Amino acid sequence: MSGDRDFIRQVQGYGLMTAEISYYMPDHPGLLQLFVWQEYDLAPRFPVLHRFLDHWRTDIEAAIHSVRIAHQHLIRPAEWRAVDGVITIN
């Protein structure tokens, strides 16, 4: 199941990476296009993204102009704060 694989990757330190790839086709260099891609990856090295970009450079005609990356760990230590006071539950 994909969900099990995704959960295991998150426990291993992977976070959700979103890449916005700006590219153009060689026959239309004045037309910049966008491709948005999400995958679990390890920051800050991003090995999954690098493999994808290597594949793009060798097997896809489109030329990469730029890549913007956002990354978020989905599993992380819980946040908590101390609260002064008394809470009464009846």
Coordinates of all heavy atoms in Angstrom, one line a residue:
M1 N 0.8 -1.2 0.0 CA 0.0 0.0 0.0 C 0.9 1.3 0.0 O 1.9 1.3 0.7 CB -0.9 0.0 1.2 CG -1.9 -1.0 1.3 SD -2.9 -0.8 2.8 CE -4.4 -0.4 2.1
S2 N 0.5 2.2 -0.8 CA 1.3 3.5 -0.9 C 1.3 4.2 0.5 O 2.3 4.8 0.8 CB 0.7 4.3 -2.0 OG 1.4 5.6 -2.0
G3 N 0.1 4.2 1.2 CA 0.1 4.9 2.4 C 1.1 4.4 3.5 O 1.7 5.2 4.2
D4 N 1.2 3.1 3.5 CA 2.2 2.5 4.4 C 3.6 2.9 4.1 O 4.4 3.3 4.9 CB 2.1 1.0 4.4 CG 0.8 0.4 5.0 OD1 0.1 1.2 5.7 OD2 0.5 -0.7 4.7
R5 N 3.9 2.9 2.8 CA 5.3 3.3 2.3 C 5.5 4.8 2.7 O 6.6 5.2 3.1 CB 5.4 3.1 0.8 CG 6.7 3.5 0.2 CD 6.8 3.3 -1.3 NE 5.9 4.3 -1.9 CZ 6.4 5.4 -2.5 NH1 7.7 5.7 -2.4 NH2 5.6 6.3 -3.1
D6 N 4.5 5.6 2.4 CA 4.7 7.1 2.7 C 4.9 7.3 4.2 O 5.7 8.1 4.6 CB 3.4 7.8 2.3 CG 3.3 7.9 0.8 OD1 4.3 7.6 0.1 OD2 2.2 8.2 0.3
F7 N 4.1 6.6 5.1 CA 4.3 6.8 6.5 C 5.7 6.3 7.0 O 6.3 7.0 7.8 CB 3.2 5.9 7.3 CG 3.4 6.0 8.8 CD1 3.1 7.2 9.5 CD2 3.9 4.9 9.5 CE1 3.2 7.2 10.8 CE2 4.1 5.0 10.8 CZ 3.7 6.1 11.5
I8 N 6.2 5.2 6.5 CA 7.5 4.7 6.8 C 8.6 5.8 6.4 O 9.5 6.0 7.1 CB 7.8 3.4 6.2 CG1 6.9 2.3 6.9 CG2 9.3 3.0 6.3 CD1 6.9 1.0 6.2
R9 N 8.4 6.4 5.2 CA 9.4 7.4 4.8 C 9.4 8.6 5.7 O 10.4 9.1 6.0 CB 9.1 7.8 3.3 CG 9.4 6.6 2.4 CD 9.1 7.0 1.0 NE 10.4 7.5 0.5 CZ 10.5 8.0 -0.8 NH1 9.5 8.0 -1.6 NH2 11.7 8.4 -1.2
Q10 N 8.2 9.0 6.2 CA 8.1 10.1 7.1 C 8.8 9.8 8.4 O 9.5 10.7 8.9 CB 6.6 10.5 7.3 CG 5.9 11.1 6.1 CD 4.5 11.3 6.4 OE1 4.1 11.9 7.4 NE2 3.6 10.9 5.4
V11 N 8.6 8.6 8.9 CA 9.3 8.2 10.1 C 10.8 8.2 9.9 O 11.6 8.5 10.8 CB 8.8 6.8 10.6 CG1 9.6 6.3 11.8 CG2 7.3 6.9 11.0
Q12 N 11.3 7.9 8.7 CA 12.7 7.9 8.4 C 13.3 9.3 8.2 O 14.4 9.4 7.9 CB 12.9 7.1 7.2 CG 12.7 5.6 7.4 CD 12.7 4.8 6.1 OE1 12.6 5.3 5.0 NE2 12.9 3.5 6.2
G13 N 12.4 10.3 8.3 CA 12.9 11.7 8.2 C 12.6 12.4 6.9 O 12.9 13.6 6.7
Y14 N 11.9 11.7 6.0 CA 11.5 12.4 4.8 C 10.3 13.4 5.1 O 9.5 13.2 6.0 CB 10.9 11.4 3.8 CG 12.0 10.5 3.1 CD1 12.7 9.6 3.8 CD2 12.3 10.8 1.7 CE1 13.6 8.8 3.1 CE2 13.2 10.0 1.1 CZ 13.9 9.0 1.8 OH 14.9 8.3 1.2
G15 N 10.3 14.5 4.3 CA 9.2 15.4 4.4 C 8.6 15.6 3.0 O 9.2 15.2 2.0
L16 N 7.5 16.3 3.0 CA 6.8 16.6 1.7 C 7.5 17.7 1.0 O 7.6 18.8 1.5 CB 5.4 16.9 1.9 CG 4.5 17.0 0.7 CD1 4.5 15.7 -0.1 CD2 3.1 17.4 1.0
M17 N 8.1 17.4 -0.2 CA 8.8 18.4 -1.0 C 7.9 18.8 -2.2 O 7.3 17.9 -2.8 CB 10.1 17.9 -1.5 CG 10.9 18.8 -2.3 SD 10.6 18.7 -4.1 CE 10.6 17.0 -4.5
T18 N 7.7 20.1 -2.4 CA 7.0 20.6 -3.6 C 8.0 21.3 -4.4 O 8.7 22.2 -3.9 CB 5.9 21.5 -3.2 OG1 5.0 20.8 -2.3 CG2 5.1 22.0 -4.4
A19 N 8.2 21.0 -5.7 CA 9.1 21.6 -6.6 C 8.3 22.3 -7.7 O 7.4 21.7 -8.3 CB 10.1 20.7 -7.2
E20 N 8.5 23.6 -7.9 CA 7.9 24.3 -9.0 C 9.1 24.5 -10.1 O 10.0 25.2 -9.8 CB 7.4 25.7 -8.5 CG 6.8 26.5 -9.6 CD 6.5 27.9 -9.2 OE1 7.4 28.8 -9.2 OE2 5.4 28.1 -8.7
I21 N 8.9 23.8 -11.2 CA 10.0 23.8 -12.2 C 9.5 24.7 -13.4 O 8.5 24.4 -14.0 CB 10.2 22.4 -12.7 CG1 10.6 21.5 -11.5 CG2 11.3 22.4 -13.8 CD1 10.6 20.0 -11.8
S22 N 10.3 25.8 -13.6 CA 10.0 26.6 -14.7 C 10.8 26.1 -15.9 O 12.0 25.9 -15.7 CB 10.4 28.1 -14.4 OG 9.7 28.6 -13.3
Y23 N 10.2 26.0 -17.0 CA 10.9 25.4 -18.2 C 10.4 26.0 -19.5 O 9.4 26.7 -19.5 CB 10.8 23.9 -18.2 CG 9.4 23.4 -18.5 CD1 9.0 23.1 -19.8 CD2 8.4 23.3 -17.6 CE1 7.7 22.7 -20.2 CE2 7.1 22.9 -17.8 CZ 6.8 22.6 -19.1 OH 5.5 22.2 -19.4
Y24 N 11.2 25.8 -20.5 CA 10.7 26.2 -21.9 C 11.1 25.1 -22.9 O 12.0 24.3 -22.7 CB 11.3 27.5 -22.3 CG 12.8 27.6 -22.3 CD1 13.5 27.3 -23.5 CD2 13.5 27.9 -21.2 CE1 14.9 27.3 -23.5 CE2 14.9 27.9 -21.2 CZ 15.6 27.6 -22.4 OH 17.0 27.6 -22.4
M25 N 10.4 25.1 -23.9 CA 10.7 24.1 -25.0 C 11.7 24.8 -26.0 O 11.6 26.0 -26.2 CB 9.4 23.8 -25.8 CG 8.3 23.1 -25.0 SD 8.9 21.6 -24.2 CE 9.0 20.5 -25.6
P26 N 12.7 24.1 -26.5 CA 13.7 24.7 -27.3 C 13.1 25.4 -28.5 O 13.7 26.4 -28.9 CB 14.5 23.5 -27.7 CG 14.3 22.5 -26.7 CD 12.9 22.7 -26.2
D27 N 12.0 25.0 -29.1 CA 11.5 25.6 -30.2 C 10.6 26.9 -29.9 O 10.2 27.6 -30.7 CB 10.6 24.7 -31.1 CG 9.6 23.9 -30.3 OD1 9.7 23.9 -29.1 OD2 8.7 23.4 -30.9
H28 N 10.4 27.1 -28.6 CA 9.7 28.3 -28.1 C 10.4 28.9 -26.8 O 9.8 28.9 -25.7 CB 8.2 28.0 -27.7 CG 7.4 27.5 -28.9 ND1 7.0 28.4 -29.9 CD2 7.0 26.3 -29.3 CE1 6.3 27.7 -30.8 NE2 6.3 26.4 -30.5
P29 N 11.6 29.4 -27.0 CA 12.3 29.8 -25.8 C 11.7 31.0 -25.1 O 12.0 31.3 -23.9 CB 13.7 30.2 -26.3 CG 13.5 30.4 -27.8 CD 12.4 29.5 -28.2
G30 N 10.8 31.8 -25.7 CA 10.2 32.9 -25.1 C 9.0 32.6 -24.3 O 8.4 33.4 -23.6
L31 N 8.5 31.3 -24.3 CA 7.3 30.9 -23.6 C 7.8 30.0 -22.3 O 8.2 28.9 -22.5 CB 6.4 30.1 -24.5 CG 5.1 29.5 -23.8 CD1 4.2 30.7 -23.4 CD2 4.4 28.7 -24.8
L32 N 7.7 30.6 -21.2 CA 8.1 30.0 -19.9 C 6.8 29.2 -19.4 O 5.8 29.8 -19.2 CB 8.6 31.0 -18.9 CG 9.4 30.5 -17.8 CD1 10.6 29.7 -18.3 CD2 9.8 31.6 -16.9
Q33 N 7.0 27.9 -19.1 CA 5.9 27.1 -18.5 C 6.3 26.6 -17.1 O 7.4 26.6 -16.8 CB 5.6 26.0 -19.5 CG 5.3 26.4 -20.9 CD 5.0 25.2 -21.8 OE1 4.1 24.5 -21.5 NE2 5.8 25.1 -22.9
L34 N 5.3 26.2 -16.4 CA 5.5 25.7 -15.0 C 5.0 24.2 -14.9 O 4.0 23.8 -15.5 CB 4.7 26.5 -14.0 CG 5.1 27.9 -13.8 CD1 4.2 28.6 -12.8 CD2 6.5 28.0 -13.2
F35 N 5.8 23.5 -14.1 CA 5.4 22.1 -13.8 C 5.6 22.0 -12.3 O 6.6 22.3 -11.7 CB 6.4 21.1 -14.5 CG 6.1 19.7 -14.1 CD1 5.1 19.0 -14.7 CD2 6.9 19.0 -13.2 CE1 4.8 17.7 -14.4 CE2 6.7 17.7 -12.9 CZ 5.7 17.0 -13.5
V36 N 4.5 21.6 -11.6 CA 4.6 21.5 -10.1 C 4.6 20.0 -9.8 O 3.7 19.2 -10.3 CB 3.4 22.2 -9.4 CG1 3.4 22.0 -7.9 CG2 3.4 23.7 -9.8
W37 N 5.5 19.6 -8.9 CA 5.7 18.2 -8.6 C 5.9 18.0 -7.1 O 6.6 18.8 -6.4 CB 6.9 17.7 -9.3 CG 7.2 16.2 -9.1 CD1 6.5 15.1 -9.5 CD2 8.5 15.7 -8.6 NE1 7.2 14.0 -9.2 CE2 8.4 14.3 -8.6 CE3 9.6 16.3 -8.1 CZ2 9.4 13.5 -8.2 CZ3 10.6 15.5 -7.6 CH2 10.5 14.1 -7.6
Q38 N 5.2 17.0 -6.5 CA 5.3 16.7 -5.0 C 5.8 15.3 -4.8 O 5.3 14.4 -5.5 CB 4.0 16.9 -4.3 CG 3.6 18.4 -4.1 CD 2.5 18.5 -3.2 OE1 1.5 17.7 -3.2 NE2 2.5 19.5 -2.3
E39 N 6.7 15.1 -3.9 CA 7.2 13.8 -3.5 C 7.8 13.9 -2.1 O 8.2 15.0 -1.7 CB 8.3 13.4 -4.5 CG 8.8 12.0 -4.4 CD 7.7 10.9 -4.5 OE1 7.2 10.7 -5.5 OE2 7.4 10.3 -3.4
Y40 N 8.0 12.8 -1.4 CA 8.7 12.8 -0.2 C 10.2 12.8 -0.5 O 10.7 12.0 -1.3 CB 8.3 11.6 0.6 CG 6.9 11.6 1.2 CD1 5.9 10.9 0.5 CD2 6.6 12.4 2.3 CE1 4.6 11.0 1.0 CE2 5.3 12.6 2.7 CZ 4.3 11.8 2.1 OH 3.0 11.9 2.5
D41 N 10.9 13.7 0.2 CA 12.3 13.8 0.0 C 13.0 14.2 1.3 O 12.4 14.6 2.3 CB 12.6 14.8 -1.1 CG 13.9 14.6 -1.9 OD1 14.7 13.8 -1.4 OD2 14.0 15.2 -2.9
L42 N 14.4 14.1 1.3 CA 15.2 14.4 2.5 C 15.9 15.8 2.3 O 16.7 15.9 1.3 CB 16.3 13.3 2.7 CG 15.8 12.0 3.2 CD1 16.9 11.0 3.0 CD2 15.3 12.1 4.6
A43 N 15.5 16.7 3.1 CA 16.2 18.0 3.0 C 17.4 17.9 3.9 O 17.5 17.2 4.8 CB 15.2 19.1 3.6
P44 N 18.5 18.6 3.6 CA 18.6 19.7 2.5 C 19.2 19.1 1.2 O 19.4 19.9 0.3 CB 19.6 20.7 3.2 CG 20.5 19.8 4.0 CD 19.6 18.7 4.5
R45 N 19.6 17.9 1.1 CA 20.2 17.3 -0.1 C 19.3 17.0 -1.2 O 19.6 17.1 -2.4 CB 21.0 16.1 0.3 CG 22.2 16.4 1.2 CD 23.1 15.2 1.4 NE 24.2 15.5 2.2 CZ 25.4 15.8 1.7 NH1 25.6 15.8 0.5 NH2 26.4 16.1 2.6
F46 N 18.0 16.7 -0.9 CA 17.0 16.4 -1.9 C 17.4 15.3 -3.0 O 17.4 15.6 -4.1 CB 16.5 17.7 -2.6 CG 15.9 18.6 -1.6 CD1 16.6 19.8 -1.2 CD2 14.6 18.4 -1.1 CE1 16.0 20.7 -0.3 CE2 14.1 19.3 -0.2 CZ 14.8 20.4 0.2
P47 N 17.8 14.1 -2.5 CA 18.2 13.1 -3.5 C 17.1 12.7 -4.5 O 17.4 12.4 -5.7 CB 18.6 11.9 -2.6 CG 17.9 12.1 -1.3 CD 17.8 13.6 -1.2
V48 N 15.8 12.7 -4.1 CA 14.7 12.3 -5.0 C 14.6 13.4 -6.0 O 14.4 13.0 -7.2 CB 13.4 12.1 -4.2 CG1 12.3 11.8 -5.1 CG2 13.6 11.0 -3.1
L49 N 14.6 14.6 -5.6 CA 14.5 15.7 -6.6 C 15.7 15.7 -7.6 O 15.5 15.9 -8.8 CB 14.4 17.1 -5.9 CG 14.4 18.3 -6.8 CD1 13.2 18.3 -7.7 CD2 14.5 19.6 -5.9
H50 N 16.9 15.5 -7.1 CA 18.0 15.4 -8.0 C 17.9 14.3 -9.0 O 18.2 14.5 -10.2 CB 19.3 15.3 -7.2 CG 19.8 16.6 -6.6 ND1 20.3 17.6 -7.3 CD2 19.7 17.1 -5.3 CE1 20.6 18.7 -6.6 NE2 20.2 18.3 -5.3
R51 N 17.4 13.1 -8.6 CA 17.2 12.0 -9.6 C 16.2 12.4 -10.6 O 16.4 12.1 -11.8 CB 16.8 10.7 -8.8 CG 17.9 10.0 -8.2 CD 17.6 8.6 -7.8 NE 16.5 8.5 -6.9 CZ 16.6 8.6 -5.5 NH1 17.8 8.8 -5.0 NH2 15.5 8.6 -4.8
F52 N 15.1 13.1 -10.2 CA 14.1 13.5 -11.1 C 14.6 14.5 -12.1 O 14.4 14.5 -13.3 CB 12.9 14.1 -10.3 CG 11.8 14.6 -11.2 CD1 10.9 13.7 -11.8 CD2 11.6 16.0 -11.5 CE1 9.9 14.2 -12.6 CE2 10.6 16.4 -12.3 CZ 9.7 15.5 -12.9
L53 N 15.4 15.5 -11.6 CA 16.0 16.5 -12.5 C 17.0 15.9 -13.4 O 17.1 16.3 -14.6 CB 16.6 17.7 -11.7 CG 15.6 18.5 -10.9 CD1 16.3 19.5 -10.0 CD2 14.5 19.2 -11.8
D54 N 17.8 14.9 -13.0 CA 18.7 14.2 -13.9 C 17.9 13.5 -15.0 O 18.3 13.6 -16.2 CB 19.5 13.2 -13.1 CG 20.6 13.9 -12.2 OD1 20.9 15.1 -12.4 OD2 21.1 13.2 -11.3
H55 N 16.8 12.9 -14.6 CA 16.0 12.2 -15.7 C 15.4 13.3 -16.6 O 15.4 13.1 -17.8 CB 14.8 11.5 -15.0 CG 13.7 11.2 -15.9 ND1 13.7 10.2 -16.8 CD2 12.4 11.7 -16.0 CE1 12.6 10.1 -17.5 NE2 11.8 11.1 -17.0
W56 N 15.0 14.4 -16.1 CA 14.4 15.5 -16.9 C 15.5 16.0 -17.9 O 15.2 16.1 -19.1 CB 14.0 16.7 -16.0 CG 13.3 17.8 -16.8 CD1 13.9 18.6 -17.7 CD2 12.0 18.3 -16.6 NE1 13.0 19.6 -18.1 CE2 11.9 19.4 -17.4 CE3 11.0 18.0 -15.7 CZ2 10.7 20.1 -17.5 CZ3 9.8 18.7 -15.8 CH2 9.7 19.8 -16.7
R57 N 16.7 16.2 -17.5 CA 17.8 16.7 -18.3 C 18.2 15.7 -19.4 O 18.5 16.2 -20.5 CB 19.0 17.1 -17.5 CG 18.8 18.3 -16.6 CD 20.0 18.7 -15.9 NE 19.8 19.7 -14.9 CZ 19.7 19.5 -13.6 NH1 19.9 18.3 -13.1 NH2 19.4 20.5 -12.8
T58 N 18.1 14.4 -19.2 CA 18.5 13.5 -20.1 C 17.4 12.9 -21.1 O 17.7 12.6 -22.2 CB 19.2 12.2 -19.5 OG1 18.3 11.6 -18.6 CG2 20.4 12.7 -18.7
D59 N 16.2 12.9 -20.6 CA 15.1 12.3 -21.3 C 13.9 13.2 -21.8 O 13.0 12.7 -22.5 CB 14.5 11.1 -20.5 CG 15.5 10.1 -20.1 OD1 16.5 9.9 -20.9 OD2 15.4 9.4 -19.1
I60 N 13.9 14.4 -21.4 CA 12.8 15.3 -21.7 C 13.4 16.5 -22.5 O 14.4 17.0 -22.1 CB 12.1 15.8 -20.5 CG1 11.5 14.6 -19.7 CG2 11.0 16.8 -20.8 CD1 10.8 14.9 -18.4
E61 N 12.8 16.9 -23.6 CA 13.2 17.9 -24.4 C 13.2 19.3 -23.8 O 14.0 20.2 -24.2 CB 12.4 18.0 -25.7 CG 12.8 17.1 -26.8 CD 12.0 17.3 -28.1 OE1 11.9 18.5 -28.5 OE2 11.5 16.4 -28.6
A62 N 12.4 19.5 -22.8 CA 12.2 20.8 -22.2 C 13.5 21.2 -21.5 O 14.1 20.4 -20.8 CB 11.0 20.8 -21.3
A63 N 13.9 22.5 -21.6 CA 15.0 23.0 -20.9 C 14.6 23.7 -19.6 O 13.7 24.5 -19.6 CB 15.8 24.0 -21.8
I64 N 15.3 23.3 -18.5 CA 14.9 23.9 -17.2 C 15.4 25.3 -17.1 O 16.6 25.5 -17.3 CB 15.5 23.0 -16.1 CG1 14.8 21.6 -16.1 CG2 15.3 23.7 -14.7 CD1 15.4 20.6 -15.1
H65 N 14.6 26.2 -16.7 CA 14.9 27.6 -16.5 C 15.3 27.8 -15.0 O 16.3 28.3 -14.7 CB 13.8 28.5 -16.9 CG 14.0 29.9 -16.5 ND1 13.7 30.5 -15.3 CD2 14.6 30.9 -17.3 CE1 14.0 31.8 -15.3 NE2 14.5 32.1 -16.5
S66 N 14.4 27.3 -14.1 CA 14.7 27.5 -12.7 C 13.8 26.5 -11.9 O 12.8 25.9 -12.4 CB 14.3 28.9 -12.2 OG 13.0 29.2 -12.5
V67 N 14.2 26.3 -10.6 CA 13.4 25.3 -9.7 C 13.3 26.0 -8.4 O 14.3 26.5 -7.8 CB 14.2 24.0 -9.6 CG1 13.4 23.1 -8.6 CG2 14.4 23.3 -10.9
R68 N 12.0 26.1 -7.9 CA 11.8 26.6 -6.5 C 11.3 25.4 -5.7 O 10.5 24.6 -6.2 CB 10.7 27.7 -6.6 CG 11.2 28.9 -7.2 CD 10.2 30.0 -7.2 NE 8.9 29.8 -6.5 CZ 8.1 30.7 -6.1 NH1 8.4 32.0 -6.3 NH2 7.0 30.4 -5.5
I69 N 11.8 25.3 -4.5 CA 11.5 24.2 -3.6 C 10.8 24.7 -2.3 O 11.3 25.6 -1.7 CB 12.8 23.4 -3.3 CG1 13.4 22.9 -4.6 CG2 12.5 22.2 -2.4 CD1 14.8 22.4 -4.3
A70 N 9.8 23.9 -1.9 CA 9.3 24.1 -0.5 C 9.3 22.7 0.1 O 9.1 21.7 -0.5 CB 7.8 24.6 -0.6
H71 N 9.6 22.6 1.4 CA 9.7 21.4 2.1 C 9.2 21.5 3.5 O 9.4 22.5 4.2 CB 11.2 21.0 2.2 CG 11.5 19.6 2.8 ND1 11.7 19.4 4.1 CD2 11.5 18.4 2.2 CE1 11.8 18.1 4.3 NE2 11.7 17.5 3.2
Q72 N 8.4 20.4 3.9 CA 7.8 20.4 5.2 C 7.9 19.0 5.8 O 7.4 18.1 5.2 CB 6.4 20.9 5.2 CG 5.6 20.9 6.5 CD 6.2 21.9 7.5 OE1 6.4 23.1 7.1 NE2 6.4 21.5 8.7
H73 N 8.4 18.9 7.0 CA 8.4 17.6 7.8 C 7.0 17.5 8.3 O 6.4 18.4 9.0 CB 9.4 17.6 8.9 CG 10.8 17.4 8.5 ND1 11.3 16.2 8.0 CD2 11.8 18.3 8.3 CE1 12.5 16.4 7.7 NE2 12.9 17.6 7.9
L74 N 6.3 16.4 8.0 CA 5.0 16.2 8.5 C 4.9 15.5 9.8 O 4.0 15.7 10.6 CB 4.2 15.3 7.4 CG 4.1 16.0 6.0 CD1 3.4 15.0 5.1 CD2 3.4 17.3 6.1
I75 N 6.0 14.7 10.2 CA 6.1 14.1 11.5 C 7.2 14.8 12.2 O 8.4 14.8 11.7 CB 6.3 12.6 11.4 CG1 5.1 11.9 10.8 CG2 6.6 12.0 12.8 CD1 5.2 10.4 10.6
R76 N 6.9 15.4 13.3 CA 8.0 16.1 14.1 C 7.6 16.1 15.5 O 6.5 15.8 15.9 CB 8.1 17.6 13.5 CG 6.8 18.4 13.6 CD 7.1 19.7 13.0 NE 5.9 20.5 13.0 CZ 5.2 20.9 11.9 NH1 5.7 20.6 10.8 NH2 4.1 21.6 12.0
P77 N 8.5 16.5 16.4 CA 8.2 16.5 17.8 C 7.0 17.4 18.1 O 6.8 18.4 17.5 CB 9.4 17.1 18.5 CG 10.5 16.9 17.5 CD 9.9 16.9 16.1
A78 N 6.1 16.9 19.0 CA 4.9 17.6 19.4 C 5.3 18.9 20.1 O 6.3 19.0 20.8 CB 4.0 16.8 20.3
E79 N 4.5 20.0 19.8 CA 4.7 21.2 20.5 C 3.8 21.3 21.7 O 2.7 20.8 21.7 CB 4.4 22.4 19.5 CG 5.3 22.5 18.3 CD 5.0 23.6 17.4 OE1 4.2 24.5 17.8 OE2 5.4 23.6 16.3
W80 N 4.3 21.8 22.8 CA 3.5 22.0 24.0 C 3.9 23.2 24.7 O 5.0 23.8 24.5 CB 3.7 20.8 24.9 CG 5.0 20.6 25.5 CD1 6.1 20.0 24.9 CD2 5.4 21.1 26.8 NE1 7.2 20.1 25.7 CE2 6.8 20.8 26.9 CE3 4.8 21.8 27.8 CZ2 7.5 21.1 28.0 CZ3 5.5 22.1 28.9 CH2 6.9 21.8 29.0
R81 N 3.1 23.7 25.6 CA 3.4 24.9 26.4 C 2.8 24.7 27.7 O 1.7 24.1 27.9 CB 3.0 26.2 25.7 CG 1.5 26.2 25.6 CD 1.1 27.5 24.9 NE -0.4 27.5 24.8 CZ -1.1 28.4 24.4 NH1 -0.6 29.5 23.9 NH2 -2.4 28.3 24.3
A82 N 3.5 25.2 28.7 CA 2.9 25.1 30.1 C 1.8 26.1 30.3 O 1.9 27.2 29.8 CB 4.1 25.3 31.1
V83 N 0.8 25.8 31.0 CA -0.3 26.7 31.3 C -0.4 26.8 32.8 O -0.5 25.8 33.5 CB -1.6 26.1 30.7 CG1 -2.8 27.1 31.1 CG2 -1.5 26.0 29.2
D84 N -0.4 28.1 33.3 CA -0.6 28.3 34.7 C -2.1 28.4 34.9 O -2.8 29.1 34.2 CB 0.1 29.6 35.1 CG 1.6 29.5 35.2 OD1 2.1 28.4 35.3 OD2 2.3 30.6 35.0
G85 N -2.5 27.7 35.9 CA -3.9 27.8 36.3 C -4.5 26.4 36.6 O -3.8 25.5 36.6
V86 N -5.8 26.4 37.0 CA -6.4 25.2 37.4 C -7.6 25.0 36.4 O -8.4 25.9 36.1 CB -7.0 25.3 38.8 CG1 -7.8 24.1 39.2 CG2 -5.8 25.6 39.8
I87 N -7.7 23.8 36.0 CA -8.8 23.4 35.1 C -9.6 22.4 35.8 O -9.2 21.4 36.3 CB -8.2 22.8 33.8 CG1 -7.4 23.8 33.0 CG2 -9.4 22.3 32.9 CD1 -6.7 23.2 31.8
T88 N -10.9 22.8 36.0 CA -11.9 21.9 36.7 C -12.8 21.2 35.7 O -13.4 21.9 34.8 CB -12.7 22.8 37.7 OG1 -11.9 23.5 38.5 CG2 -13.6 21.9 38.5
I89 N -12.8 19.9 35.8 CA -13.7 19.1 34.9 C -14.7 18.4 35.8 O -14.3 17.7 36.7 CB -12.8 18.1 34.1 CG1 -11.8 18.8 33.3 CG2 -13.8 17.2 33.3 CD1 -10.9 17.9 32.5
N90 N -16.0 18.7 35.5 CA -17.0 18.0 36.3 C -17.5 16.8 35.7 O -17.7 16.6 34.6 CB -18.2 19.0 36.6 CG -17.8 20.1 37.5 OD1 -16.9 20.0 38.3 ND2 -18.4 21.3 37.3

